[in-house]
Amino acid sequence: MASLADTTAGRHAALVPAAGACFGVVSCLLMGQQARHWVAAAVMALIASVLSLVVHLRDRARRARLGADAPA
C-alpha cells in the first residue's frame, strides 16, 4: 500500500501489491476449489485489477500535468 502513496516511485514499483494479489489468487485456488476459495480468489483478482487501474490512471495524470507545465 505504501507504493501507491509514494508519488515518486515508478509505476512498476507501484504494481508490487497487484502482483502479490495475483500470487494470492493462485495460492487460494491451489488450497481448494470450494465456493469460498473462488470468492476469495475473485476478491483478490478484483483488488489486483483496481490497483493496476489506479496506478495507470495516476501515472497518466502525472504525465499530463508534467506535459502541461512544460514551457512552450
Side-chain angles (χ1 to χ4, degrees):
M1 212 42 131
S3 61
L4 288 175
D6 185 11
T7 58
T8 60
R11 69 177 175 198
H12 300 311
L15 292 176
V16 170
C22 291
F23 179 76
V25 167
V26 172
S27 298
C28 188
L29 290 176
L30 285 175
M31 285 191 279
Q33 298 289 315
Q34 297 171 341
R36 64 183 176 169
H37 295 103
W38 283 99
V39 169
V43 168
M44 284 189 258
L46 180 66
I47 289 170
S49 300
V50 168
L51 285 175
S52 299
L53 181 64
V54 166
V55 169
H56 173 72
L57 293 175
R58 185 189 68 183
D59 188 52
R60 190 167 69 171
R62 188 180 70 208
R63 281 187 283 148
R65 270 196 321 270
L66 291 176
D69 292 339

